Amino acid sequence: MFVYADMAVFALMFGCFMWDRHQAPALFEASRQALNLDFGGINTLILLSSSMLVVLGVDALKHGRATLAPRFFGSAAACGVAFIVSKILEYGQKFDAGIGLTSNAFFQYYFIMTGLHLGHVAVGTVIIAVLAVKSRGARAGDSIALYEGGATYWHMVDLLWVCIFPLLYLVR
Amino acid sequence: MSRAVRSVLAVWLLLMASTAASTWWFAQPLFSPVAGTLAVMLIATLKVALVMSHFMELRNAPRPWQIAGAVWVIAAAGTVIGIYLM
């Protein structure tokens, strides 16, 4: 339920962004061109890979291969850290270019949407790292509800980025 | 390797390839802005549906959750694409 509520809030933001873009297409397009597509694309590949690793981690626990789970969850958490580092580098480039939250409406959306998402990534990375540690002691027959809950949250983080990335970086 | 794992890996490869196509092909100037953007939006919609069905396992979830997921995808994609085409 929490996941759907979170997704509904982001969907509302997507609609507001498109509406404001519709009102000032030239400003939004000029601002979009200041973004680095490579950062966005690589970040998407990182999150998709981390989601796949989490699926494999849960699958390993489900099918009695518990020893593999910590490696999958640990690798997924490392992807989360890579995303955070990449985002910090990207923000640094923007700040160096004199671009900030108050530059214009586009960058207000850019920093708010990516910032809120980055917060979700940070929380998700901690959750997945905790699951990596916890799964070291997992045994066949243990409940995996906790792992499935953490995995669902992480997939939502991935799913939201799959939407945010094209909206901000690719819509021309 | 189990059938479920093979299926997840196939979906992951499709997601990676479609991300690369969106970022480094459809978003480039060789496509008109509208055609490129619509391709990007449709690919993003497909990716969201795949993440929901195969990663979040909505395809095996109770019916009400599947409907809620489908409603979100249709509402979000419909709103974004609808406003873009206005």
Side-chain angles (χ1 to χ4, degrees):
Chain A
M1 189 57 80
F2 163 76
V3 165
Y4 278 115
D6 216 9
M7 285 167 60
V9 171
F10 271 93
L12 195 62
M13 255 191 288
F14 302 157
C16 292
F17 171 81
M18 287 307 291
W19 182 254
D20 285 345
R21 185 188 181 283
H22 180 67
Q23 309 299 318
L27 170 78
F28 275 59
E29 177 56 17
S31 304
R32 182 195 74 84
Q33 288 180 11
L35 299 184
N36 185 333
L37 264 61
D38 294 337
F39 268 121
I42 290 167
N43 276 341
T44 310
L45 299 179
I46 289 171
L47 279 191
L48 289 171
S49 300
S50 73
S51 253
M52 182 269 293
L53 289 163
V54 165
V55 173
L56 295 181
V58 172
D59 185 78
L61 290 171
K62 261 186 200 168
H63 294 101
R65 299 188 304 274
T67 52
L68 291 173
R71 289 181 216 167
F72 287 133
F73 287 123
S75 303
C79 288
V81 172
F83 183 97
I84 292 167
V85 169
S86 164
K87 208 84 205 121
I88 290 169
L89 292 174
E90 188 182 354
Y91 283 161
Q93 279 190 355
K94 294 289 156 290
F95 295 142
D96 288 346
I99 295 168
L101 181 67
T102 54
S103 293
N104 63 34
F106 175 88
F107 283 110
Q108 212 163 10
Y109 276 109
Y110 167 79
F111 281 107
I112 290 172
M113 280 207 267
T114 60
L116 280 174
H117 180 263
L118 186 60
H120 282 68
V121 173
V123 170
T125 301
V126 171
I127 290 171
I128 298 298
V130 168
L131 293 182
V133 173
K134 189 172 164 49
S135 64
R136 290 161 78 179
R139 295 207 171 97
D142 285 356
S143 167
I144 59 163
L146 186 70
Y147 298 95
E148 288 181 321
T152 300
Y153 178 82
W154 190 247
H155 297 319
M156 177 200 69
V157 170
D158 178 21
L159 183 150
L160 290 174
W161 183 254
V162 164
C163 300
I164 291 169
F165 167 56
L167 275 184
L168 290 173
Y169 294 72
L170 305 182
V171 169
R172 289 184 285 157
Chain B
M1 192 186 290
S2 73
R3 180 186 282 187
V5 169
R6 275 202 303 271
S7 155
V8 165
L9 290 177
V11 166
W12 171 70
L13 282 174
L14 181 59
L15 290 166
M16 299 290 274
S18 57
T19 297
S22 287
T23 310
W24 293 292
W25 195 36
F26 287 115
Q28 302 303 318
L30 72 155
F31 290 94
S32 75
V34 173
T37 299
L38 286 178
V40 162
M41 286 176 171
L42 291 174
I43 287 172
T45 306
L46 173 71
K47 284 162 65 181
V48 167
L50 284 173
V51 169
M52 278 188 175
S53 65
H54 286 76
F55 287 0
M56 297 173 106
E57 293 199 67
L58 268 189
R59 62 192 168 140
N60 300 322
R63 199 78 173 155
W65 292 111
Q66 292 181 343
I67 292 170
V71 166
W72 191 89
V73 175
I74 293 166
T79 303
V80 166
I81 295 172
I83 295 174
Y84 180 72
L85 291 175
M86 273 171 60

